[in-house]
Amino acid sequence: MGRKSFATILVVLAMMLGVDADAQVKFGLKAGINATDMKFNTSVFKADNRIGFFAGPTVKFTLPIVGLNVDASALYDQREAKTEDEKLTSKSIAVPINLRYSIGLGSTTAFYLFAGPQFAFNLSDNKDVKGVKEDIQSWKWKDSHFSVNVGAGFTFNHIEVFANYNVVFGKTSEFDFKNTVDVLMEGTSRANAWQMGLAYFF
């Protein structure tokens, strides 16, 4: 892990520890599935959505302002896409930090909207590219990337069900490929994702 990635983790921890002392804190687990929405900067390649998953610990801070919460997680996040006969697998540690606004629907049930940044640190390498065709010469996942989550969910007692779209800013990978006239060119991709999940707070 590079210095930039380490510095980002320190910033995330500082944000979490800097939450108001009056906040109510709950710990839990979060897991779900994602459908990768791979975007390329070239029209030569198109990718089909494939199902991946995410899982890991989470923490929720109830702020001393009616309806406002903050949650932060450390998730193992695996995303997959398929380009013709090429299977691309992205593995990372994702750290989402979401600001939430809840609307109570009863004594134990609430609807909430959320949005916030996510920092991801790559665990993949070129070996995760299976059956690569001859027109792709190399594929390199970025060491880290930044994205944003926007979504909604329901809370019922200790359980939460949610759905969101994760939008990557910048690129998640770089690759070299040969075009139709056999000229070597460079391309980039972004692994956005639709996500659905479940969280349980103790």
Side-chain angles (χ1 to χ4, degrees):
M1 183 178 295
R3 292 182 179 179
K4 290 184 178 179
S5 298
F6 183 71
T8 303
I9 291 178
L10 292 180
V11 171
V12 171
L13 290 176
M15 293 174 65
M16 293 172 62
L17 294 175
V19 174
D20 194 296
D22 294 331
Q24 181 183 1
V25 181
K26 292 183 178 180
F27 296 92
L29 297 173
K30 180 182 290 188
I33 59 174
N34 53 51
T36 302
D37 184 14
M38 184 74 77
K39 305 291 187 182
F40 293 93
N41 71 333
T42 171
S43 59
V44 174
F45 300 99
K46 296 183 183 297
D48 295 328
N49 291 347
R50 293 177 66 91
I51 299 299
F53 68 94
F54 58 91
T58 187
V59 60
K60 178 171 63 174
F61 305 92
T62 302
L63 303 179
I65 301 175
V66 176
L68 286 184
N69 303 273
V70 174
D71 70 53
S73 308
L75 307 172
Y76 174 80
D77 187 355
Q78 180 167 311
R79 303 182 183 188
E80 295 186 355
K82 191 173 187 301
T83 305
E84 295 183 358
D85 64 344
E86 301 163 18
K87 179 181 178 182
L88 306 173
T89 303
S90 169
K91 303 174 183 178
S92 64
I93 297 298
V95 183
I97 304 173
N98 297 309
L99 179 64
R100 303 152 44 124
Y101 180 72
S102 300
I103 301 172
L105 302 176
S107 59
T108 60
T109 306
F111 168 77
Y112 66 93
L113 301 172
F114 66 90
Q118 176 169 298
F119 307 91
F121 307 97
N122 179 54
L123 299 177
S124 303
D125 56 32
N126 292 343
K127 293 180 180 179
D128 290 323
V129 180
K130 307 296 185 182
V132 176
K133 293 174 61 179
E134 293 181 358
D135 52 358
I136 289 185
Q137 305 300 300
S138 66
W139 188 283
K140 180 182 178 181
W141 299 102
K142 301 294 290 181
D143 290 337
S144 62
H145 63 266
F146 173 79
S147 59
V148 171
N149 292 311
V150 178
F154 284 95
T155 298
F156 181 75
N157 287 331
H158 298 279
I159 298 174
E160 293 185 355
V161 179
F162 62 91
N164 67 275
Y165 189 61
N166 175 251
V167 185
V168 175
F169 288 81
K171 54 193 175 184
T172 54
S173 66
E174 299 174 334
F175 59 95
D176 295 327
F177 68 97
K178 288 184 178 180
N179 63 11
T180 55
V181 291
D182 208 31
V183 175
L184 189 64
M185 301 182 67
E186 295 183 352
T188 63
S189 70
R190 291 184 294 123
N192 298 342
W194 293 96
Q195 299 181 313
M196 295 182 62
L198 183 71
Y200 181 85
F201 290 94
F202 304 105

